[in-house]
Amino acid sequence: MLPSLLLCDFGNLEAEIRRLETAGVKALHLDVMDGHFVRNLTYGLPIVAAVRRITRLPLDVHLMISQPGAYIDEFVDAGADAISFHIEAEGDASEILRRLRSKGVLASIALNPPTPLEAIWPLLDDCDMVLVMSVMPGFGRQAFQEVALDKLRRLRDFAGDRLLLEVDGGVNASTIGSCAEAGAELFVAGSAVFGQKDYGQSVTTLSELALGNKAGKDQKRR
Ligand code: DX5
Ligand code: ZN
């Protein structure tokens, strides 16, 4: 379970991160938007670097920017542990993925709900992770789009355990189970965590629902 910092209280960023650490999250998801690739602006390098200074949690940076190739080196230097960028963005995706790997961070490609899996198929050898979007990127609190489940299943069948699969958008107590069953292992949640008073409880509930469905799936496989 990875909380998306998009919906946290930025006036109390350090306190929010401490609450998330206490709640038992395994990593933080940072949504970087440039107001061009998506119609929203969030934050960039200084915030990623500031978060790096105050926590040891792995930082999973999701770049929703038009020219990821021009910025990835700086995000690596700012302390990212994993970087996802979009296949719909500009640039040579294969070159960007290889550059990320050569810098020792997890290299990940993200795709939007309308983008077919075929668009990233030739890149999978260069990926450590795929970020399957279950909403159009830009805003939190949107409804989960089921098209993500079919993509997750096909990726899991094709790649086995070789690829990490992450799902982002509309993940909550009602949808996380099907995501786990479809093969996702990293779940990004914004409103399902920050909409609750007790982060610990929502993180535990979501993690248990995900684990329960994964266990059910593994049993079916046997
Ligand atoms: C969407 C972002 C997500 C999103 C998560 O553009 O990538 O990380 O804000 O928020 P919820 O869980 O509310 O959909
Ligand atoms: Zn995201």
Side-chain angles (χ1 to χ4, degrees):
M1 239 296 307
L2 286 77
S4 152
L5 294 192
L6 191 58
L7 300 173
C8 77
D9 176 1
F10 282 101
N12 293 294
L13 187 55
E14 183 163 4
E16 287 280 71
I17 289 174
R18 296 288 169 253
R19 285 180 72 192
L20 292 166
E21 286 174 340
T22 309
V25 304
K26 299 281 176 271
L28 300 174
H29 181 85
L30 285 89
D31 288 304
V32 175
M33 306 185 189
D34 66 355
H36 187 259
F37 181 74
V38 289
R39 208 182 51 77
N40 196 5
L41 274 169
T42 53
Y43 49 78
L45 289 158
I47 296 286
V48 176
V51 172
R52 176 72 297 156
R53 284 196 295 275
I54 54 180
T55 184
R56 289 189 170 174
L57 285 171
L59 304 185
D60 173 39
V61 174
H62 178 190
L63 296 179
M64 286 157 276
I65 64 178
S66 292
Q67 300 198 1
Y71 296 96
I72 54 165
D73 300 74
E74 288 164 276
F75 278 102
V76 173
D77 293 343
D81 297 287
I83 296 189
S84 301
F85 65 96
H86 276 258
I87 184 67
E88 300 86 359
E90 293 165 27
D92 178 346
S94 170
E95 184 276 321
I96 299 172
L97 288 165
R98 281 185 267 121
R99 187 145 45 105
L100 286 171
R101 268 192 173 167
S102 75
K103 289 179 166 285
V105 297
L106 285 185
S108 165
I109 193 87
L111 79 169
N112 287 341
T115 304
L117 215 42
E118 285 66 27
I120 61 160
W121 217 250
L123 298 169
L124 292 182
D125 277 348
D126 295 323
C127 292
D128 300 307
M129 178 165 100
V130 175
L131 170 50
V132 177
M133 291 302 299
S134 34
V135 300
M136 276 307 275
F139 298 91
R141 302 191 183 88
Q142 301 182 68
F144 182 86
Q145 296 189 28
E146 302 255 327
V147 67
L149 297 177
D150 182 53
K151 289 179 185 168
L152 288 167
R153 269 184 221 110
R154 287 176 59 200
L155 283 164
R156 185 53 77 213
D157 284 349
F158 172 77
D161 292 335
R162 204 185 59 71
L163 273 181
L164 282 166
L165 299 184
E166 181 173 54
V167 60
D168 183 7
V171 173
N172 56 36
S174 323
T175 55
I176 197 166
S178 7
C179 295
E181 201 174 354
E185 59 217 321
L186 298 170
F187 310 89
V188 178
S191 41
V193 173
F194 293 100
Q196 309 298 316
K197 272 209 180 94
D198 184 346
Y199 295 171
Q201 197 177 0
S202 41
V203 169
T204 305
T205 307
L206 289 168
S207 305
E208 283 174 359
L209 284 166
L211 269 176
N213 278 272
K214 188 181 177 297
K217 184 194 170 196
D218 291 348
Q219 219 152 37
K220 263 189 247 160
R221 266 191 180 165
R222 266 180 227 134

